[in-house]
Amino acid sequence: MIDFKRFRKDKRLTQAALANMLGMDQSRISRMEKNGDGFTPEHMDILCSRYADIDDYVIDDSNVAPAPTVSALLALVASQQRTIENLSETIKNLTSKN
C-alpha cells in the first residue's frame, strides 16, 4: 500500500491534481488516503513513470499477500499453455470424428 497523503503532500499536489493524474475523481483520492481502497496496478504504473522515488512511500502491510515470483508466474503460464494444447487436441479429435 502507498502512503498517499504523505506522497501527495511531499510532492505538493492537491487531491484534485493527483486525481487528475490518475484519471479519477478527488473523492476517490480522499478514500485512498484514508484506507488505501481503489489503488490499482495501473495507478502504480502511472506514479512509477513520473516519480522514481515512489517506493519510498510504500507502507509495509502484512495483511497483503506477497506478489508472486517470476518463477511462479512462469510455471502458471506453462500450465495454462499445456491446458490450451490439451484442449486444442481434444477439439481436433472431436472434429475429425465428424
Side-chain angles (χ1 to χ4, degrees), residues 1-6 15 24 26-40 59 61 63-64:
M1 181 166 28
I2 303 291
D3 185 344
F4 293 103
K5 190 168 193 170
R6 185 170 64 91
Q15 286 184 344
M24 60 180 67
Q26 179 272 326
S27 63
R28 191 161 164 201
I29 294 295
S30 179
R31 285 193 307 275
M32 287 169 54
E33 287 182 356
K34 289 178 183 159
N35 57 25
D37 286 353
F39 190 67
T40 67
I59 301 169
D61 188 351
N63 294 331
V64 175

Side-chain angles (χ1 to χ4, degrees), residues 41-54:
E42 291 79 17
H43 296 137
M44 187 65 164
D45 288 343
I46 292 167
L47 293 178
C48 284
S49 70
R50 295 179 186 208
Y51 300 97
D53 65 343
I54 190 67

Side-chain angles (χ1 to χ4, degrees), residues 54-83:
I54 190 67
D55 289 343
D56 295 343
Y57 298 91
V58 173
I59 301 169
D60 182 28
D61 188 351
S62 59
N63 294 331
V64 175
T69 62
V70 171
S71 59
L73 292 172
L74 290 173
L76 177 62
V77 168
S79 171
Q80 290 176 340
Q81 182 63 37
R82 285 190 299 276
T83 300

Side-chain angles (χ1 to χ4, degrees), residues 77-93:
V77 168
S79 171
Q80 290 176 340
Q81 182 63 37
R82 285 190 299 276
T83 300
I84 291 168
E85 290 168 357
N86 289 339
L87 289 171
S88 294
E89 187 65 29
T90 299
I91 291 169
K92 182 179 170 185
N93 290 337

